[in-house]
Amino acid sequence: MGCFSSRPKLQGPRYKELVLLASETAFSVSEVEALFELYKSLCASVHKGGRIYKEEFQMAIFKDAKKDNLFANRIFDLFDIKHKGGIEFDDFVRALSVFHPNAPKEDKIDFSFKLYDLDGTGFIERQEVKEMLIALLCESGIKLADETIELILDKTFKEADFNHDEKIDKTEWQVFVTRNPSLLNIMTLPYLRDVTTSFPSFVFHSEVDEIDT
């Protein structure tokens, strides 16, 4: 029976909380309600608790609860907004909203910047891009020679690092992504357009062509 038989039943948000989440995201009130049903099923799939933990999140997103991949771990960290080691419902909805087809482009750019800014310095450095690129290639089952990866990095920083300081700031990233919109492909999950008709599978497809621009 999962966590609902051994712990108090996970209580749904009150109506005013649903309205608040809807006002802050790309979801409607009814869609937020539907997402709570999905949230309940995810939080009970591996652990018996009231949050979505890493194994449950990775099982939902990548169909693999034991996935050890920088990309998978980074996505979880960005969903775990309060840094509690488990994703609470309001964080789940807010983070997922970024992937909605109707979410503002600025939100998608900001999230993607954080995805690559691994150490949270406010800049994307070459090594961070390299680590994420390798993780995305691995996720797609593709292995490139080191020389090819270095060429991709050279091209990326030549186009994005306008002031030639060997790092990409938020403004540079915004311009770079605007010129290379395929970089945001992974930031949109089309089936979030209407979660009331069918629950999405939440499987991320790491399209490598979005990096090699």
Side-chain angles (χ1 to χ4, degrees), residues 46-106:
V46 178
H47 289 287
K48 297 179 179 180
R51 297 175 183 161
I52 299 176
Y53 293 93
K54 182 170 289 187
E55 292 92 340
E56 296 156 335
F57 184 79
Q58 294 182 349
M59 177 63 74
I61 299 293
F62 302 100
K63 301 303 182 186
D64 185 350
K66 301 299 182 182
K67 195 172 193 66
D68 185 18
N69 178 282
L70 176 64
F71 175 67
N73 292 336
R74 190 65 183 146
I75 290 289
F76 176 83
D77 290 342
L78 292 177
F79 268 67
D80 182 17
I81 297 172
K82 298 185 181 72
H83 307 294
K84 292 184 176 181
I87 304 169
E88 298 182 351
F89 178 64
D90 58 336
D91 293 340
F92 177 70
V93 175
R94 290 188 177 96
L96 199 58
S97 177
V98 176
F99 295 87
H100 194 286
N102 297 336
K105 180 181 177 182
E106 293 75 15

Side-chain angles (χ1 to χ4, degrees), residues 51-173:
R51 297 175 183 161
I52 299 176
Y53 293 93
K54 182 170 289 187
E55 292 92 340
E56 296 156 335
F57 184 79
Q58 294 182 349
M59 177 63 74
I61 299 293
F62 302 100
K63 301 303 182 186
D64 185 350
K66 301 299 182 182
K67 195 172 193 66
D68 185 18
N69 178 282
L70 176 64
F71 175 67
N73 292 336
R74 190 65 183 146
I75 290 289
F76 176 83
D77 290 342
L78 292 177
F79 268 67
D80 182 17
I81 297 172
K82 298 185 181 72
H83 307 294
K84 292 184 176 181
I87 304 169
E88 298 182 351
F89 178 64
D90 58 336
D91 293 340
F92 177 70
V93 175
R94 290 188 177 96
L96 199 58
S97 177
V98 176
F99 295 87
H100 194 286
N102 297 336
K105 180 181 177 182
E106 293 75 15
D107 292 349
K108 296 178 182 293
I109 292 175
D110 183 63
F111 192 99
S112 64
F113 182 86
K114 293 176 182 177
L115 186 66
Y116 283 90
D117 181 18
L118 300 177
D119 56 9
T121 60
F123 298 95
I124 300 175
E125 300 184 20
R126 186 183 179 97
Q127 183 61 32
E128 292 174 317
V129 177
K130 182 175 182 178
E131 291 178 16
M132 186 58 68
L133 173 58
I134 292 173
L136 287 168
L137 289 168
C138 180
E139 178 63 28
S140 300
I142 299 173
K143 182 174 178 59
L144 296 180
D146 290 342
E147 295 80 3
T148 303
I149 290 176
E150 292 300 325
L151 286 174
I152 294 174
L153 294 173
D154 289 342
K155 186 173 186 292
T156 298
F157 274 79
K158 181 179 180 180
E159 294 183 10
D161 182 20
F162 305 131
N163 58 6
H164 309 294
D165 61 355
E166 296 299 319
K167 55 189 178 183
I168 303 170
D169 62 29
K170 286 186 178 181
T171 300
E172 291 172 327
W173 179 255

